[in-house]
């Protein structure tokens, strides 16, 4: 079985932000904290021309690039990012078959998801790890 068939594949993670810099920086942070052999974590931020906003095209490209056959967890920053990903999921053929929009804080959720995915967790466990980030206390 090839990686595309799921053997040895890891869950990919896509971070959608209205800012390219935010998406890429959070992806760098998550990969760095997950370790040298981290899962694929990609940012899909801003618009194709570099402006602020969300782009269905950039999200779709990142999701397919992150998909190795084990599923893709998609985390978002603000309202229209949620709406864009929901619209792509509703289309049914824009995102990888096993793509899931995750209700989680972007930074903490990305780190938790990256650590879980890097350890070989399946999509359900990666999504759960990201969601649990809402419970992380700072004080």
């Amino acid at each position: 079985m090839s990686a595309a068939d799921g053997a040895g594949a890891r869950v990919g993670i896509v971070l959608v932000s209205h800012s390219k810099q935010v998406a890429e920086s959070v992806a760098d942070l998550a990969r760095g904290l997950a370790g040298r052999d981290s899962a694929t974590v990609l940012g899909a931020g801003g618009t194709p021309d570099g402006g602020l906003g969300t782009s269905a095209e950039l999200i779709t490209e990142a999701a397919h690039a992150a998909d190795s056959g084990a599923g893709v967890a998609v985390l978002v920053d603000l309202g229209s990012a949620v709406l864009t990903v929901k619209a792509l999921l509703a289309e049914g053929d824009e995102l990888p078959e096993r793509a899931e929009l995750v209700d989680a804080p972007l930074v903490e959720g990305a780190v938790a998801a990256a650590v879980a995915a890097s350890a070989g967790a399946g999509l359900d466990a990666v999504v759960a790890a990201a969601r649990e980030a809402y419970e992380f206390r700072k004080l």
Side-chain angles (χ1 to χ4, degrees):
M1 201 184 296
S2 69
D5 296 325
R10 287 194 249 180
V11 172
I13 300 161
V14 174
L15 308 177
V16 180
S17 173
H18 284 67
S19 164
K20 177 180 180 177
Q21 293 83 2
V22 168
E24 291 179 357
S25 294
V26 174
D28 287 343
L29 175 67
R31 283 189 304 267
L33 293 176
R36 186 169 23 127
D37 190 29
S38 71
T40 301
V41 182
L42 300 175
T47 60
D49 65 359
L52 293 175
T54 55
S55 164
E57 177 184 341
L58 294 176
I59 295 165
T60 300
E61 288 175 7
H64 284 285
D67 183 26
S68 65
V72 178
V74 183
L75 286 78
V76 298
D77 63 357
L78 302 169
S80 66
V82 174
L83 295 175
T84 302
V85 174
K86 281 185 172 183
L88 289 168
L89 288 167
E91 288 292 323
D93 62 351
E94 295 294 320
L95 297 178
E97 184 178 331
R98 296 190 62 218
E100 186 168 340
L101 175 60
V102 183
D103 183 13
L106 185 65
V107 176
E108 294 91 338
V111 171
V115 169
S118 296
L123 183 59
D124 290 344
V126 169
V127 168
R131 287 180 179 153
E132 287 173 10
Y134 272 127
E135 305 300 321
F136 295 170
R137 303 300 311 161
K138 296 180 183 173
L139 296 179

